[in-house]
Amino acid sequence: MIEELNNIANEMDGLLPLFVDGGNISGLVLPTKPSATFHALVIETKSILDQELGYTNEYSLDMLKVLSHARVYKGGPSYASVEETSEVIRAAVRAVERKRRAVPATPLLAKPYVDPTRIVGLQGLGRGPWDFARLVELCREINVAAANRCHLSTAMLLRTIINHVPPVLGFSTFAEVANNYGGAKIAEIIQVIHAAA
């Protein structure tokens, strides 16, 4: 993501030599194709920053101002706005780098709540009678919540994961699963799951 933003800033810098004399009071103008490229780069930047920093971060809001300005003035972006936008993107990269240094995704020695090999195993089941995509995402998120000591979130995610167990094992409630655990029914269902994979 950081590399993408740096590449976008470099592409914007590459647009600067493409400005030409407008032949009137407007001064330097950017031809249509490079102007469209600039517009697309700004939208792409905003999308990346929204995902990384949230929708109301200063950098995304600045990209909205650039887009709004470009729509009002149909002549395309000014030389100064392209140069400024490139620098704002570089500042956003530094903000993302600071954010990543400040809050590690998972503590280095933390044991995952759900073993990663179990998550990979669920991903490998593919499409059968059940779609495990949501369960895989829940397992990934419970690891993040537990690693960051979000105990209430961990408990809620665990409860949601538990709700996925009974249907796969052919029961309607978790109590039925617990009452029948270890019986022939469970072995039969496990064979069905492996056969479906």
Side-chain angles (χ1 to χ4, degrees):
M1 198 269 317
I2 287 174
E3 186 178 338
E4 281 182 89
L5 289 172
N6 281 324
N7 288 339
I8 289 171
N10 291 337
E11 271 190 76
M12 284 190 182
D13 288 344
L15 295 174
L16 293 172
L18 302 177
F19 275 86
V20 294
D21 186 2
N24 57 26
I25 196 166
S26 63
L28 293 175
V29 295
L30 193 59
T32 304
K33 178 72 174 159
S35 181
T37 300
F38 173 76
H39 188 90
L41 292 172
V42 171
I43 291 172
E44 188 177 358
T45 300
K46 183 185 177 318
S47 175
I48 293 169
L49 293 174
D50 286 348
Q51 289 174 6
E52 185 66 29
L53 300 173
Y55 290 104
T56 57
N57 71 81
E58 286 297 317
Y59 305 101
S60 287
L61 294 175
D62 195 78
M63 294 300 121
L64 280 176
K65 283 190 268 183
V66 169
L67 290 172
S68 174
H69 185 326
R71 287 187 180 113
V72 171
Y73 300 100
K74 299 291 184 194
S78 68
Y79 189 95
S81 69
V82 173
E83 197 170 38
E84 181 181 322
T85 303
S86 151
E87 288 306 312
V88 169
I89 293 170
R90 286 179 182 18
V93 167
R94 292 189 295 273
V96 169
E97 288 172 337
R98 280 191 301 275
K99 177 186 169 206
R100 288 183 177 180
R101 280 193 306 267
V103 182
T106 55
L108 295 177
L109 301 175
K111 182 179 177 189
Y113 198 92
V114 176
D115 190 316
T117 56
R118 178 69 57 210
I119 295 172
V120 170
L122 287 170
Q123 287 172 325
L125 289 177
R127 298 260 180 188
W130 301 281
D131 181 5
F132 292 103
R134 184 167 183 240
L135 181 59
V136 167
E137 182 59 21
L138 288 167
C139 291
R140 188 195 67 75
E141 287 186 20
I142 200 170
N143 280 349
V144 172
N148 288 290
R149 298 181 182 178
C150 301
H151 304 298
L152 294 175
S153 297
T154 302
M156 287 182 252
L157 286 164
L158 180 59
R159 180 66 199 152
T160 304
I161 290 170
I162 288 172
N163 288 340
H164 281 73
V165 173
V168 172
L169 298 177
F171 299 104
S172 52
T173 67
F174 195 77
E176 289 177 28
V177 173
N179 290 335
N180 291 291
Y181 187 79
K185 178 74 173 164
I186 298 295
E188 176 187 326
I189 292 168
I190 291 172
Q191 287 177 346
V192 169
I193 292 171
H194 286 296

